[in-house]
Amino acid sequence: MLGEEDADAVKGSPSALWRAAAAAMYLIPWMDCLMLGRFIFQEWTSFQIFHDLPMPLLMIYGCNAFMPLIIFFVLFLCVVRNTKLPHFLRFSAMQSIMLDIVVMLANILVMYAPSEVTHSILMPIFMNASFVSILATIFYCMIHTLAGRYCDLPWISEAVYIQVTASEFG
């Protein structure tokens, strides 16, 4: 977990530009979790705004099958591993990648669920719960990031901190 000594390692509070760039990183898992919200969007049209907000970026992100992979490598190699960028931005980029992995795992569970589960009440419950919890986590991270604070998520933030710190020495 990030402690006070980690916060002291960062020189000053990040500028508004770095905070906005760091918060924008969380749009990637947001775009990937939209499929999980399919049942929510059908039932409650007021939630449609959560689908429509990232739509312009989703048009670019989903324009070809390799774009998510390209964006992953660009983020990881050019942002997370770039020690010239602020630690705050690199931390947020890596944490958004880790959240995106969680979203991908949920999407894989949905795609490869047995037909007994797919056609039962369990699938909409799983998808709704996954979508709401992931989107709430993304908003939590975005709010903390825009405020200039590190977002501390159990297990994920520890792995992120280890990865970002390892990139400074290797």
Side-chain angles (χ1 to χ4, degrees):
M1 300 288 176
L2 292 176
E4 291 175 349
E5 66 278 353
D6 301 322
D8 293 338
V10 179
K11 297 177 182 134
S13 181
S15 70
L17 176 67
W18 291 124
R19 285 185 276 171
M25 302 293 172
Y26 293 103
L27 290 171
I28 295 167
W30 185 354
M31 289 184 289
D32 282 337
C33 82
L34 290 178
M35 186 192 93
L36 295 171
R38 182 176 67 211
F39 293 111
I40 287 181
F41 299 140
Q42 289 173 356
E43 286 293 318
W44 297 290
T45 57
S46 59
F47 277 87
Q48 192 68 31
I49 189 146
F50 298 120
H51 182 272
D52 295 341
L53 279 174
M55 191 53 64
L57 292 174
L58 188 60
M59 303 295 264
I60 297 167
Y61 185 72
C63 71
N64 100 31
F66 292 107
M67 190 60 77
L69 184 65
I70 292 167
I71 290 175
F72 166 78
F73 279 115
V74 166
L75 274 180
F76 187 73
L77 297 174
C78 297
V79 178
V80 175
R81 306 284 291 180
N82 187 352
T83 57
K84 294 177 184 173
L85 292 175
H87 187 271
F88 185 74
L89 178 67
R90 296 180 316 133
F91 181 87
S92 294
M94 188 65 209
Q95 187 153 278
S96 74
I97 290 171
M98 295 292 276
L99 282 174
D100 199 34
I101 291 170
V102 170
V103 172
M104 288 178 197
L105 290 174
N107 283 329
I108 288 170
L109 286 174
V110 168
M111 286 190 296
Y112 293 107
S115 62
E116 293 83 12
V117 174
T118 304
H119 300 296
S120 72
I121 189 69
L122 296 176
M123 187 55 71
I125 291 172
F126 173 75
M127 289 177 71
N128 290 345
S130 298
F131 176 72
V132 169
S133 61
I134 290 168
L135 198 61
T137 304
I138 291 167
F139 286 158
Y140 173 80
C141 291
M142 289 177 102
I143 289 168
H144 274 270
T145 303
L146 287 171
R149 296 186 306 261
Y150 283 83
C151 182
D152 192 16
L153 301 175
W155 299 302
I156 293 176
S157 293
E158 285 183 41
V160 167
Y161 187 72
I162 289 168
Q163 182 65 41
V164 171
T165 304
S167 70
E168 294 172 358
F169 299 112

